[in-house]
Amino acid sequence: MTNQEMILAYNGIMQFQNMEQKKFEESGKKILSGKIQLAFSINKNKAAIVQALQPYEETKKSIVEEYRDTATERKAWEEEQKAAEAEKRPVQDISISLRPGKSMEEYQRKLNELAIQETDFKPKKVPLSLFEGLDLTSAELEPFIFMISED
């Protein structure tokens, strides 16, 4: 899996778990009720992804530190927050500030190269049959495709 694929998998799992929690709070019903092995595998994969993404996060941080003027960005963000509060409007995004001699194209190229870099992450696979009986749409199943074995 690439770093980007792992990030998408993690975000998909988090989105599913948030939806699952909301559904439980509203109806008292658990989506994964009786599916302990599946729930375990989902949580195991989520934790493994977090661990596997640590080198990505460290490298991304170093790229940001090399290319971006975060002090200038922080000051602009604080000024935008004050202006938004004074004008009673939502806070707007600020522009990225680059360090002298650095280009946005090179910054984006490095981040993209990092995102598409292959990793040695191997997810805990589960059979598709573990998903049988669950009331899931194809969109709700999609975040788990990376961990489903086809046998």
Side-chain angles (χ1 to χ4, degrees):
M1 291 180 79
T2 64
N3 286 316
Q4 186 172 10
E5 289 168 335
M6 284 195 301
I7 292 166
L8 289 172
Y10 177 83
N11 289 340
I13 289 171
M14 290 302 299
Q15 185 177 12
F16 174 82
Q17 289 180 328
N18 290 336
M19 181 266 303
E20 180 184 32
Q21 182 65 34
K22 184 178 177 186
K23 196 170 196 174
F24 177 71
E25 290 169 359
E26 290 172 355
S27 69
K29 295 183 180 178
K30 298 178 183 178
I31 295 174
L32 297 179
S33 182
K35 299 284 188 173
I36 297 298
Q37 185 180 358
L38 180 57
F40 174 79
S41 296
I42 290 169
N43 286 321
K44 193 85 167 159
N45 277 319
K46 184 173 83 169
I49 289 170
V50 169
Q51 184 72 28
L53 281 173
Q54 283 183 341
Y56 164 83
E57 293 295 341
E58 292 166 5
T59 303
K60 182 180 173 186
K61 182 180 176 185
S62 70
I63 292 170
V64 167
E65 288 171 355
E66 178 184 351
Y67 281 82
R68 290 171 61 175
D69 185 347
T70 54
T72 299
E73 289 176 5
R74 192 176 316 107
K75 183 178 178 188
W77 175 249
E78 290 167 359
E79 290 172 2
E80 171 56 22
Q81 285 180 312
K82 288 177 187 173
E85 186 177 317
E87 298 167 15
K88 300 195 184 318
R89 61 169 171 79
V91 177
Q92 298 175 355
D93 290 335
I94 59 163
S95 298
I96 291 175
S97 296
L98 296 176
R99 294 185 182 279
K102 299 294 182 181
S103 74
M104 182 61 75
E105 293 78 20
E106 181 72 11
Y107 172 67
Q108 290 176 334
R109 184 185 65 74
K110 283 195 170 201
L111 288 178
N112 188 50
E113 286 174 358
L114 180 62
I116 62 173
Q117 185 177 12
E118 283 290 334
T119 69
D120 59 0
F121 175 72
K122 301 286 186 248
K124 177 173 178 43
K125 297 279 191 173
V126 298
L128 181 58
S129 60
L130 285 183
F131 288 87
E132 287 178 13
L134 297 178
D135 188 19
L136 297 176
T137 66
S138 62
E140 291 167 340
L141 180 64
E142 186 175 11
F144 306 108
I145 298 295
F146 78 97
M147 62 182 272
I148 297 173
S149 62
E150 297 185 26
D151 44 303

